[in-house]
């Protein structure tokens, strides 16, 4: 470690002047603390009572160490006597961060302290008859020392914020994992309290590629949770992330989907915050289902707009079996004929047998529809009039031929 005292030596003062300066340190420390409490109100309570005496002693000790160092010859740089003061300033910065105060208040206190200290020191120096060049050098050293203390406190404040931020982020990640895993209420409440996270009424899960999450979470508020590692139900190589967005039910949902418009996101339903796992699982199911249907996923998808497809696609294997069974009468036909009749049958059940609507849907003449339906009735017989068969055909063909 470099010597913290380097550059703060070389002030040539006679011993009587040094003793005179040391003699004013107690009163100067008291006036410094008083001035800080007046000029920086946020310290009025912190510097009161017994704590105020501790701060005065610290100021006096710090200035005393500075005077001893400043009056040493310039070629004496082995003394590390400022280490306690510098390290103390660092810890002071960390303490300010832990108390939730910004570094601005502490830097203001340093400025006030420097002004008061220099007023006292310069008055004594002038009274001792020191030349102007020596007083100028003295001022330079005083303010360089205060700058050194300020920089050390800034470093401590930043380090504490970074450390606190990392710890809290780990707690938030743990909370998100617990939510996605559907942990019991007691576990979730404990995790939320540990993370300092205030639960909203609802959470909405948004699943999207990891490379499209930059700058997204802050748009939805500080309570938004984000996780990109160890996502349940996601294979390791897939670079996906999940956002759990607070209170996006009702009209706010449209704003959420709009904000995601240019991202390949899947938006689950809003759920009470402890039940957000169901929102996440729906978003994942929609991703699998829409991929199976050939969707390119180039824009955000609101799963609330695809409820029928999600219900029908909940068990794709059973749906495929149902499709094969209801289309069995067409299995012996040439593929091109079977495809045409399947397309007609799908339009027929969806349009409830309205021939003109089927013709418009298929871009064919109504007579063509009549001809094809005659073929289908010959193949299916009376089953096309059976409500159960019509229901099965609607389910099997309702999602299109992609299944």
């Amino acid at each position: 470690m470099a010597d913290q005292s380097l550059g703060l030596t070389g002030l040539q003062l006679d011993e009587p002047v040094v003793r005179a300066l040391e003699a004013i340190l107690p009163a100067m420390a008291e006036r410094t603390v008083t001035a800080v409490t007046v000029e920086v109100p946020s310290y009025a309570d912190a510097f009161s009572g017994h704590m105020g005496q501790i701060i005065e002693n610290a100021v006096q000790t710090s200035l005393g160490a500075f005077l001893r160092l400043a009056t040493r010859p310039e070629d004496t740089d082995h003394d590390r006597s400022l280490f306690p003061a510098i390290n103390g300033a660092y810890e002071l910065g960390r303490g300010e961060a832990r108390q939730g105060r910004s570094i601005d208040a502490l830097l203001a206190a340093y400025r006030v302290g420097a002004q008061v200290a220099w007023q006292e020191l310069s008055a004594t120096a002038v009274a001792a008859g020191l030349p102007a060049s020596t007083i100028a050098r003295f001022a330079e050293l005083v303010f360089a020392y205060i700058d050194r203390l300020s920089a050390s406190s800034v470093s401590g404040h930043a380090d504490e914020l970074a450390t606190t931020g990392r710890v809290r982020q780990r707690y938030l990640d743990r909370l998100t994992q617990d939510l996605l895993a559907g942990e019991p209420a007691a576990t979730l409440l404990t995790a939320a309290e540990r993370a300092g996270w205030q639960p909203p009424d609802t959470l909405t899960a948004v699943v999207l590629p990891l490379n499209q999450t930059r700058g997204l979470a802050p748009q939805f508020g500080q309570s938004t949770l984000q996780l990109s590692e160890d996502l349940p139900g996601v294979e390791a190589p897939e670079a996906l992330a999940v956002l759990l967005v607070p209170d996006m039910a009702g009209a706010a949902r449209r704003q959420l989907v709009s904000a995601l418009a240019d991202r390949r996101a899947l938006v689950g339903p809003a759920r009470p915050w402890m039940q957000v796992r169901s929102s996440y699982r729906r978003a994942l199911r929609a991703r699998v289902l829409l991929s199976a249907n050939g969707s390119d996923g180039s824009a955000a998808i609101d799963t609330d707009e695809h409820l029928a497809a999600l219900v029908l696609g909940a068990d794709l294997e059973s749906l495929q079996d149902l499709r094969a069974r209801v289309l069995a009468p067409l299995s012996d036909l040439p593929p091109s004929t079977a495809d045409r009749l399947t397309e007609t049958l799908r339009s027929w059940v969806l349009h409830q047998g309205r021939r003109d609507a089927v013709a418009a849907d298929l871009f064919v003449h109504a007579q063509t529809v009549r001809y094809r339906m005659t073929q289908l009735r010959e193949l299916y017989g009376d089953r096309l009039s059976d409500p159960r068969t019509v229901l099965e055909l609607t389910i099997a063909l309702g999602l299109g031929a992609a299944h």
Side-chain angles (χ1 to χ4, degrees):
M1 179 185 294
D3 191 339
Q4 299 281 4
S5 68
L6 192 62
L8 295 179
T9 60
L11 185 64
Q12 298 180 2
L13 300 178
D14 294 335
E15 186 62 26
V17 177
V18 174
R19 287 198 299 270
L21 291 170
E22 290 177 338
I24 67 170
L25 289 182
M28 183 170 61
E30 181 180 356
R31 279 192 282 272
T32 297
V33 171
T34 300
V36 169
T37 58
V38 172
E39 298 294 331
V40 189
S42 59
Y43 285 119
D45 292 334
F47 284 9
S48 63
H50 179 64
M51 182 55 66
Q53 185 60 54
I54 294 176
I55 297 297
E56 283 184 24
N57 292 339
V59 171
Q60 181 177 337
T61 300
S62 177
L63 290 173
F66 162 72
L67 280 177
R68 288 191 297 274
L69 180 65
T71 54
R72 297 182 68 90
E74 288 183 332
D75 59 354
T76 305
D77 61 4
H78 63 277
D79 188 2
R80 295 173 179 260
S81 60
L82 283 189
F83 276 12
I86 298 298
N87 290 339
Y90 178 85
E91 293 301 327
L92 183 57
R94 292 188 63 188
E96 289 296 281
R98 284 193 293 269
Q99 292 296 321
R101 285 192 285 261
S102 73
I103 193 62
D104 295 339
L106 183 55
L107 294 181
Y110 277 127
R111 287 193 295 271
V112 172
Q115 291 169 0
V116 173
W118 178 240
Q119 287 171 0
E120 299 288 337
L121 293 172
S122 62
T124 301
V126 170
L130 295 180
S133 59
T134 300
I135 293 178
R137 173 61 177 163
F138 197 3
E140 180 184 350
L141 294 182
V142 168
F143 288 99
Y145 178 51
I146 297 299
D147 285 345
R148 187 73 58 81
L149 295 179
S150 299
S152 186
S153 289
V154 168
S155 178
H157 193 276
D159 287 351
E160 181 64 25
L161 287 181
T163 300
T164 302
R166 286 193 297 269
V167 171
R168 183 167 188 263
Q169 188 57 55
R170 285 198 293 270
Y171 285 140
L172 290 172
D173 289 347
R174 180 72 261 175
L175 169 63
T176 307
Q177 289 169 341
D178 288 345
L179 285 166
L180 297 182
E183 294 292 343
T187 300
L188 296 178
L189 288 171
T190 299
E193 183 178 0
R194 184 181 296 120
W197 183 78
Q198 181 63 41
D201 291 332
T202 66
L203 284 173
T204 299
V206 177
V207 175
L208 72 169
L210 178 59
N211 61 8
Q212 294 188 2
T213 60
R214 180 173 298 177
L216 188 58
Q219 296 183 35
F220 307 127
Q222 294 182 348
S223 295
T224 300
L225 300 173
Q226 179 174 334
L227 190 67
S228 58
E229 296 181 355
D230 300 323
L231 297 184
V234 175
E235 297 296 330
E238 297 184 87
L240 292 179
V242 60
L243 299 181
L244 303 184
V245 186
D247 296 330
M248 284 293 169
R253 184 177 183 84
R254 291 192 293 273
Q255 299 174 3
L256 172 62
V257 175
S258 176
L260 297 166
D262 58 347
R263 304 173 196 252
R264 290 182 287 123
L266 294 118
V267 184
R271 289 286 184 260
W273 75 274
M274 288 190 184
Q275 301 171 27
V276 71
R277 181 179 185 230
S278 71
S279 179
Y280 171 68
R281 294 177 67 184
R282 179 180 292 180
L284 289 184
R285 286 198 302 272
R287 180 172 175 269
V288 173
L289 177 64
L290 296 174
S291 176
N293 277 336
S295 171
D296 61 3
S298 59
I301 294 175
D302 183 353
T303 60
D304 279 1
E305 301 298 324
H306 297 268
L307 294 179
L310 287 166
V311 171
L312 296 178
D315 186 344
L316 289 176
E317 187 175 321
S318 295
L319 183 61
Q320 290 165 356
D321 289 344
L322 176 63
R323 181 181 175 84
R325 192 180 77 183
V326 298
L327 294 180
L330 309 180
S331 60
D332 293 333
L333 298 177
S336 59
T337 301
D339 288 345
R340 284 196 301 272
L341 292 181
T342 298
E343 181 183 42
T344 302
L345 187 56
R346 175 180 182 273
S347 184
W348 180 78
V349 296
L350 293 180
H351 290 91
Q352 301 177 19
R354 297 193 302 272
R355 187 187 310 162
D356 290 341
V358 174
D361 182 35
L362 301 179
F363 299 101
V364 297
H365 196 276
Q367 286 299 105
T368 301
V369 175
R370 180 197 294 273
Y371 171 71
R372 292 181 185 178
M373 288 307 303
T374 299
Q375 290 180 286
L376 287 166
R377 288 191 173 91
E378 290 175 353
L379 292 166
Y380 280 88
D382 293 339
R383 282 182 291 172
L384 287 185
S385 299
D386 175 35
R388 181 181 180 86
T389 299
V390 173
L391 173 62
E392 291 180 343
L393 285 167
T394 302
I395 295 173
L397 300 175
L399 296 183
H403 290 295

